[in-house]
């Protein structure tokens, strides 16, 4: 009887494990099936590098280059803001802060991660967007820059907590060795601790960026959603994610537009997958 | 006297780890500090380069003079103190950098030198720890790939490169095999010509083999301090005798 129970439990656990793999494969296949259909109408090169996204004109123009650039621009901006601040924050928490400050900071960063993106988007819309508009004297504050700033807030918790972990797990003996040679605290940090933690910090950055590029709600609310070729941070852009979210509701099932949105999904999937794999490589790189 | 302590006390929180330690170390000799684990020998060693400062809740009283300067003084310059008083740790702790960068680490933090001068420092330091022939073609490889003994030698080379005059060794051979231990001991005898060496060890044979003077510590007290020969052959204190004859430890 006991053996039988063990057997059942073992198989149930196995089934749960297989289920997650199964679902991933099914989702992926569905995405491929629906997305690849668009290439009957448009060549992959024209799809990826076409400059016009007019999915419901006749005939539809399905070039997603402006959307890819929109996503990259917003992500790049967010990375430029969040990476230096995030790493500096991680260094402060891991190395400089007194125990009490450290606890408070760590808790508040977790709290930052817990804010739903739609709330961040909303706050951005009523505070950041008007500021950007008046500071740069623009016709609208719904710009790539606003999106980048808001997304930087979303990337920061990931970057800080993973980078802090990486710094924390540098063996204490490295630090002692450097200090015992007469290095100052700062010299120890940037000559020993940061290089020793570099793979973990790179992984933190990649995961932070991965979070930004997949983010939808906040960017949709504050980047202005104009599917135009972006030329600067100070104009409205539209990202890949926002396009899917905004248009899927009105696309006719089985239309070119519908298939094109799925194909955008494939592009996003490939980008996120590449970022996660890179992060993984850094995290597990053996020294 | 190179190093002299006067009524040195040290507390970790409420635990007193050193009790009224009065001791004097002579220049260019190897002094061993022996005693059972937890007796305060590593703590005493770490007073001399103020490494105990890293631990929270440490309090020290008394005086410690190195070349006549009281290093317990809060105004003491830790950077130049640690440049003068180097330390070799129990576990070899090379940085995850190349062999070359490990050795020039000290030069880089204490003011840059020309590439030629750095190359010379690397060669001299590696030669003095007898690693030059083994590693001269591997200078750009990561130090993490070396054997344990090579790592420990590299750590000593890294130290020599900043030209300290005192070398503190905290059980430097405890992770090494007997052959490697023997070779490190030979190196210590060689280094004695130029450096004042203090070694903490729980290995009494090692203390007997390499040291000129020896101190025995127990429960934070320095029980006995004399020439190594005398400590091992005619200890004055009953507790020392019991320890070296293996009654406890």
């Amino acid at each position: 009887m006991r053996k039988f129970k063990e057997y059942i439990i073992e198989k149930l656990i196995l089934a749960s494990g297989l289920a997650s793999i199964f679902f991933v494969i099914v989702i992926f296949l569905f995405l491929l099936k629906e997305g690849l259909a668009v290439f009957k109408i448009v060549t992959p090169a024209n799809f990826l590098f076409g400059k016009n996204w007019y999915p419901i004109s006749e005939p539809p123009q399905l070039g997603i280059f402006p959307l890819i650039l929109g996503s990259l621009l917003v992500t790049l901006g967010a990375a430029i803001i969040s990476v230096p601040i995030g790493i500096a924050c991680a260094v402060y928490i891991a190395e400089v802060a007194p125990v009490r400050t450290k606890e408070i900071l760590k808790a508040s960063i977790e709290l930052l991660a817990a804010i739903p993106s739609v709330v961040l988007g909303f706050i951005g819309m009523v505070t950041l967007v008007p500021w950007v508009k008046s500071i740069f004297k623009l016709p609208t504050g719904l710009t790539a820059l606003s999106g980048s700033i808001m997304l930087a807030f979303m990337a920061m918790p990931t970057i800080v907590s993973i980078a802090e972990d990486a710094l924390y797990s540098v063996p204490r003996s490295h630090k002692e060795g450097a200090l015992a040679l007469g290095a100052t605290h700062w010299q120890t940090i940037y000559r020993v601790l940061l290089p020793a933690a570099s793979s973990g910090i790179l992984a933190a950055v990649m995961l932070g960026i991965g979070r930004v590029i997949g983010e939808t709600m906040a960017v949709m609310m504050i980047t202005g959603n104009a599917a135009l070729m972006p030329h600067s941070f100070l104009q409205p852009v539209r990202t890949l994610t926002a396009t899917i979210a905004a248009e899927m509701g009105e696309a006719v099932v089985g239309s070119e537009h519908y298939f094109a949105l799925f194909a955008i999904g494939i592009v996003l999937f490939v980008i996120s997958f590449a970022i996660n794999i890179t992060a993984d490589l850094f995290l597990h790189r053996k020294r | 006297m190179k190093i002299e302590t006067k009524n040195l006390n040290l507390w970790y929180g409420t635990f007193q780890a050193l009790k009224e330690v009065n001791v004097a170390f002579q220049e260019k000799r190897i002094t061993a500090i022996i005693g059972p684990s937890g007796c305060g020998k590593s703590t005493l060693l770490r007073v001399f380069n103020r490494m105990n400062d890293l631990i929270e809740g440490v309090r020290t009283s008394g005086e410690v003079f190195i070349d006549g300067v009281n290093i317990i003084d809060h105004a003491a310059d830790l950077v130049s103190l640690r440049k003068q008083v180097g330390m070799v740790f129990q576990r070899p702790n090379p940085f995850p950098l190349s062999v070359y960068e490990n050795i020039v680490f000290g030069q880089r933090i204490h003011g840059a030198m020309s590439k030629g001068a750095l190359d010379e420092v690397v060669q001299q330091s590696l030669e003095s720890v007898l690693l030059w022939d083994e590693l001269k073609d591997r200078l750009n490889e990561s130090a993490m790939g070396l054997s344990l003994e090579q790592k420990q030698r590299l750590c000593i080379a890294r130290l020599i490169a900043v030209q300290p005059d005192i070398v503190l060794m905290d059980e430097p051979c405890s992770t090494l095999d007997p052959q490697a231990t023997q070779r490190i001991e030979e190196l210590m005898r060689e280094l004695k010509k130029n450096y004042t060496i203090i070694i903490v060890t729980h290995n009494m044979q090692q203390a007997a083999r390499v040291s000129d003077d020896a101190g025995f510590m127990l429960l934070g007290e320095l029980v006995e301090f004399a020439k190594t020969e005398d400590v091992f052959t005619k200890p004055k204190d009953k507790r020392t005798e019991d320890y070296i004859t293996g009654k406890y430890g």
Side-chain angles (χ1 to χ4, degrees):
Chain A
M1 189 60 205
R2 183 173 294 162
K3 243 187 178 165
F4 180 69
K5 217 165 126 190
E6 285 284 312
Y7 177 82
I8 293 291
I9 291 174
E10 221 170 78
K11 292 300 168 210
L12 273 176
I13 292 172
L14 178 69
S16 324
L18 289 179
S20 62
I21 299 174
F22 175 76
F23 291 135
V24 169
I25 292 174
V26 168
I27 290 173
F28 186 59
L29 286 180
F30 186 74
L31 190 62
L32 278 184
K33 174 182 159 286
E34 299 289 72
L36 292 180
V38 81
F39 297 123
K40 283 181 213 150
I41 310 151
V42 56
T43 64
N46 282 342
F47 179 69
L48 288 175
F49 299 110
K51 289 185 182 153
N52 296 308
W53 174 255
Y54 300 121
I56 42 179
S57 67
E58 200 51 57
Q61 298 195 37
L62 302 171
I64 62 166
F65 201 52
L67 312 180
I68 294 179
L69 285 187
S71 273
L72 292 183
L73 195 66
V74 171
T75 306
L76 178 76
I80 290 173
I81 300 168
S82 62
V83 169
I85 301 181
I87 293 177
C89 182
V91 167
Y92 179 72
I93 293 178
E95 274 303 310
V96 186
V99 185
R100 229 179 122 58
T101 321
K102 184 189 253 182
E103 295 305 320
I104 296 171
L105 267 176
K106 281 177 92 164
S108 28
I109 280 161
E110 269 159 41
L111 213 62
L112 189 59
I115 300 175
S117 69
V118 64
V119 173
L120 272 180
F122 179 61
I123 294 173
M125 214 155 120
V126 297
T127 58
L128 184 65
V129 167
W131 287 340
V132 170
K133 181 178 168 176
S134 66
I135 289 171
F136 294 100
K137 305 199 169 42
L138 299 171
T140 170
L142 297 166
T143 59
L145 179 68
S146 320
S148 294
I149 295 173
M150 226 51 227
L151 287 186
F153 283 109
M154 304 196 57
M156 218 112 72
T158 311
I159 296 178
V160 173
S161 57
I162 297 176
E164 194 259 333
D165 254 10
L167 282 167
Y168 186 76
S169 55
V170 173
R172 202 186 148 73
S173 60
H174 287 339
K175 187 179 169 183
E176 288 195 335
L179 290 173
L181 284 169
T184 62
H185 195 177
W186 167 239
Q187 286 171 329
T188 306
I189 290 171
Y190 88 97
R191 286 197 182 268
V192 177
L193 298 183
L194 285 176
S198 60
S199 60
I201 292 174
L202 275 170
V205 169
M206 296 310 284
L207 291 172
I209 289 176
R211 183 153 187 222
V212 166
I213 210 156
E215 167 49 34
T216 309
M217 214 52 225
V219 282
M220 196 157 91
M221 292 166 81
I222 54 181
T223 55
N225 285 323
L228 302 170
M229 289 294 284
H231 298 291
S232 85
F233 276 107
L234 296 176
Q235 71 183 70
V237 296
R238 174 189 272 194
T239 64
L240 294 165
T241 48
T243 308
I244 301 179
E247 298 178 8
M248 194 49 109
E250 54 206 50
V252 179
V253 176
S255 66
E256 293 98 339
H257 188 193
Y258 173 86
F259 292 134
L261 293 179
F262 269 98
I264 293 178
I266 297 178
V267 173
L268 264 177
F269 176 84
V270 170
I271 296 175
S272 306
F273 188 71
I275 290 174
N276 280 343
I277 289 284
T278 322
D280 230 41
L281 284 179
F282 282 127
L283 264 187
H284 296 122
R285 190 168 66 184
K286 294 270 174 291
R287 290 204 159 269
Chain B
M1 285 301 134
K2 192 71 185 169
I3 307 180
E4 201 168 356
T5 75
K6 284 189 178 147
N7 304 329
L8 176 65
N9 289 289
L10 185 144
W11 293 264
Y12 295 122
T14 53
F15 173 75
Q16 189 168 6
L18 295 176
K19 294 171 189 162
E20 294 291 316
V21 175
N22 289 291
V23 62
F25 299 91
Q26 294 183 53
E27 200 167 0
K28 293 186 182 163
R29 288 167 79 86
I30 300 179
T31 307
I33 304 171
I34 57 173
S37 27
C39 68
K41 55 193 192 301
S42 284
T43 302
L44 177 61
L45 199 68
R46 284 164 168 260
V47 166
F48 302 137
N49 63 349
R50 295 270 302 264
M51 283 304 270
N52 288 321
D53 287 20
L54 294 183
I55 303 162
E56 240 163 279
V58 166
R59 245 168 353 108
T60 319
S61 75
E63 291 167 312
V64 177
F65 295 99
I66 294 183
D67 290 336
V69 177
N70 184 6
I71 60 145
I72 295 298
D73 200 327
H74 278 285
D77 174 7
L78 288 190
V79 168
S80 43
L81 170 68
R82 288 173 182 163
K83 208 174 141 190
Q84 185 195 3
V85 185
M87 181 165 228
V88 177
F89 294 82
Q90 189 166 0
R91 291 201 139 269
N93 59 348
F95 304 125
L97 306 169
S98 68
V99 170
Y100 187 95
E101 283 302 319
N102 261 283
I103 296 174
V104 299
F105 184 86
Q107 309 297 330
R108 292 208 193 279
I109 58 174
H110 296 304
M113 291 169 99
S114 69
K115 174 88 174 80
L118 287 179
D119 287 348
E120 202 164 307
V121 167
V122 169
Q123 176 163 0
Q124 279 173 3
S125 314
L126 281 178
E127 273 171 352
S128 61
V129 297
L130 311 173
L131 266 185
W132 175 247
D133 290 327
E134 277 169 67
L135 294 187
K136 65 179 173 213
D137 301 319
R138 297 172 60 188
L139 295 178
N140 293 316
E141 283 176 32
S142 167
M144 304 314 269
L146 302 179
S147 74
L148 265 182
E149 182 195 349
Q150 285 173 328
K151 281 184 187 166
Q152 194 62 300
R153 281 176 187 267
L154 180 68
C155 289
I156 298 173
R158 177 174 79 183
L159 194 61
I160 290 174
V162 294
Q163 299 174 316
D165 49 36
I166 298 167
V167 176
L168 309 173
M169 296 183 149
D170 191 353
E171 311 212 13
C173 301
S174 63
T175 58
L176 303 182
D177 62 50
Q179 275 97 32
T181 301
Q182 195 189 354
R183 288 192 293 264
I184 296 280
E185 286 173 6
E186 275 162 27
L187 175 61
M188 289 170 63
R189 285 189 203 100
E190 194 57 38
L191 293 176
K192 176 171 91 168
K193 293 173 193 153
N194 299 310
Y195 303 93
T196 306
I197 299 178
I198 306 177
I199 175 174
V200 155
T201 176
H202 57 219
N203 178 336
M204 277 183 283
Q205 287 81 13
Q206 180 170 57
R209 281 192 304 264
V210 296
S211 66
D212 304 301
D213 302 313
F216 170 63
M217 288 187 71
L218 189 64
L219 301 172
E221 244 180 277
L222 183 72
V223 174
E224 187 153 352
F225 188 90
K227 286 210 161 42
T228 302
E229 255 181 54
D230 296 344
V231 171
F232 281 95
T233 53
K234 38 187 188 237
K236 292 197 187 73
D237 195 292
K238 181 78 172 66
R239 291 170 291 177
T240 315
E241 192 182 333
D242 286 349
Y243 180 71
I244 59 175
T245 53
K247 289 209 176 127
Y248 61 88

